[in-house]
Amino acid sequence: MTGHTRGTRRLTTLLLALLTLASAGAATACTSSDDLPSVVVTTNILGDVTRQIVGDEADVTVLMKPNADPHSFGLSAVQAAELERADLVVFNGLGLEENVLRHVDAARESGVATFEAGKAADPLTFRAPDDGGPEEEAGQPDPHFWTDPDRVRKTVALIADQVVEHVDGVDEKTIRANAERYEGQLAGLTTWMEKSFDRVPDGRRALVTNHHVFGYLAERFDFRVIGAVIPSGTTLASPSSSDLRSLTRAMREAGVRTVFADSSQPKRLAEVLRTELGGQVRVVELYSESLTEPGKGAGTYLQMMRANTAAMTDGLTGA
């Protein structure tokens, strides 16, 4: 056998060995990824909160896309199946995810552990219409608890408990440490919001929104909710002529000319109110019910709340 032939065979053997090792490594990586437990979250706001707690201990799948409406988004057949394969499902509840809750119910009936964060957050109820609330929903629970960071902080520990109890294979110390770190960040957020809102005089602490979404924030930071363009806790409702007349009358009486609207529909609301009030109405855009894509202004819950606080403070002080 020539030296050239022996060298070729050695090279071939070496290449085959390397390929075998690479294949084994890829298979191991694939198996490891597939073996990770699964947490499925309905809304992207809760998805971000849950990811802060879970970290790399499990796969966290968020069903709601950035900039979507939690009241109207739906699921594909693949997403519905993901719910029923999950180790834990975290959802807002209180009627928020109107097209998704039946799938959550189906997952629960099939034996999947589920956690309703809104119900655990000491929910408020919508107020009577004379106090600025939606008539048909007065007395019903308000699902928008995330506008109060203290309530979100309360749910963090509860989500951590659920993960530790129902998601096999996670490291409890890591989950608890992640939750404690994030709770500290939320406490810092509350302090920062209080200082920011201190700039708003008592006479200007009045909110008009596109629909009833900031009741928790109003209670926590001492604001008055004058009314909403859509007099409902859901964006699926529509304002009537009498609703708009009632709102514009309340705005005139309160001296309010600033409306806070979801960033997805400020222009339409501005035109409606300008027509009704016959004058200038300032519409300030907020991220009320959905996160954005990363880097687009509200990629995380903390970013969303800071952006909203700055916009509200500036809008109410005329800055």
Side-chain angles (χ1 to χ4, degrees):
M1 183 180 295
T2 65
H4 174 73
T5 302
R6 285 195 298 270
T8 300
R9 288 185 176 178
R10 288 195 193 99
L11 180 59
T12 301
T13 301
L14 178 60
L15 288 173
L16 287 171
L18 289 172
L19 287 170
T20 301
L21 286 172
S23 298
T28 301
C30 181
T31 301
S32 299
S33 175
D34 291 343
D35 285 346
L36 276 178
S38 170
V39 179
V40 175
V41 190
T42 54
T43 70
N44 53 43
I45 293 173
L46 273 178
D48 176 57
V49 172
T50 302
R51 280 176 171 150
Q52 301 300 321
I53 300 164
V54 172
D56 297 327
E57 292 297 305
D59 283 329
V60 177
T61 299
V62 180
L63 300 178
M64 178 179 156
K65 296 183 182 301
N67 301 307
D69 185 336
H71 298 282
S72 61
F73 86 102
L75 301 186
S76 67
V78 172
Q79 288 176 313
E82 281 185 295
L83 276 171
E84 298 197 22
R85 290 196 302 267
D87 295 277
L88 173 67
V89 172
V90 178
F91 67 111
N92 191 96
L94 303 181
L96 182 77
E97 310 99 318
E98 299 179 43
N99 294 326
V100 177
L101 292 176
R102 61 187 177 90
H103 297 292
V104 174
D105 290 340
R108 184 188 303 111
E109 290 170 3
S110 70
V112 176
T114 64
F115 176 66
E116 186 174 2
K119 190 174 181 179
D122 189 20
L124 299 175
T125 57
F126 286 115
R127 298 177 301 169
D130 289 344
D131 295 325
E135 181 175 3
E136 70 279 8
E137 295 170 6
Q140 296 297 311
D142 182 346
H144 308 97
F145 76 93
W146 63 85
T147 64
D148 175 1
D150 284 347
R151 280 183 165 85
V152 173
R153 182 154 55 98
K154 176 181 178 180
T155 66
V156 167
L158 298 176
I159 292 172
D161 289 342
Q162 293 291 315
V163 171
V164 169
E165 180 179 354
H166 297 292
V167 183
D168 291 338
V170 300
D171 181 70
E172 180 175 357
K173 289 184 179 180
T174 299
I175 298 297
R176 301 292 186 195
N178 289 345
E180 184 177 353
R181 172 190 53 78
Y182 193 52
E183 285 171 2
Q185 293 177 358
L186 291 170
L189 172 66
T190 299
T191 300
W192 180 84
M193 291 175 68
E194 288 174 334
K195 291 180 179 178
S196 297
F197 287 142
D198 281 346
R199 293 172 46 203
V200 183
D202 289 343
R204 294 191 180 184
R205 300 177 79 87
L207 299 178
V208 176
T209 57
N210 62 315
H211 79 289
H212 287 284
V213 68
F214 286 102
Y216 289 90
L217 182 144
E219 184 198 60
R220 175 60 183 80
F221 298 102
D222 195 24
F223 283 87
R224 292 173 292 126
V225 178
I226 299 300
V229 177
I230 302 173
S232 175
T234 172
T235 55
L236 301 184
S238 299
S240 66
S241 297
S242 62
D243 292 330
L244 290 172
R245 284 194 299 270
S246 296
L247 176 61
T248 53
R249 182 171 61 250
M251 289 177 67
R252 288 192 185 97
E253 291 172 354
V256 173
R257 287 278 171 169
T258 301
V259 177
F260 296 99
D262 188 87
S263 58
S264 64
Q265 50 186 336
K267 293 182 180 179
R268 178 173 65 85
L269 293 173
E271 292 305 317
V272 168
L273 287 172
R274 283 176 187 138
T275 299
E276 291 292 325
L277 285 170
Q280 182 64 34
V281 175
R282 184 183 183 193
V283 178
V284 176
E285 298 181 25
L286 300 178
Y287 307 103
S288 61
E289 294 191 299
S290 177
L291 300 184
T292 65
E293 294 176 352
K296 300 297 183 180
T300 69
Y301 172 73
L302 295 176
Q303 290 173 356
M304 180 185 79
M305 294 300 288
R306 287 181 177 273
N308 285 347
T309 299
M312 293 172 75
T313 301
D314 291 346
L316 293 171
T317 58

